[in-house]
Amino acid sequence: MYLLTVGSAVLSLLGPVGNLLGILGLLDNAWILWDPQRQGLHDKVAKTVVVKAAPWAPNPYAKARVPGDPGNL
């Protein structure tokens, strides 16, 4: 949250355009507070959904282990 505040302050130095960008950034992040699917505007534009997985579930995106591959230890 601190980084967001600093980013808004830096954008405000750019004048009215920077202020508008800062407000749009805050709105994008705040959108999840009232959205039923907890999506930000950037999620809606990209048509993505964040799924919270159980910590013990295996990672479906992990690379398969290949014997002898030094980068996959």
Side-chain angles (χ1 to χ4, degrees):
M1 194 64 164
Y2 177 74
L3 185 60
L4 185 62
T5 305
V6 171
S8 285
V10 170
L11 285 174
S12 69
L13 295 175
L14 298 175
V17 174
N19 285 335
L20 180 62
L21 290 174
I23 290 170
L24 289 176
L26 288 173
L27 178 64
D28 177 38
N29 288 315
W31 196 269
I32 64 170
L33 297 175
W34 58 80
D35 187 77
Q37 295 178 333
R38 297 286 189 230
Q39 290 178 300
L41 291 176
H42 60 278
D43 291 321
K44 292 191 178 296
V45 169
K47 297 180 181 173
T48 60
V49 178
V50 176
V51 179
K52 191 171 189 175
W56 58 85
N59 182 356
Y61 303 107
K63 290 174 35 179
R65 296 192 86 127
V66 178
D69 183 6
N72 201 359
L73 298 176

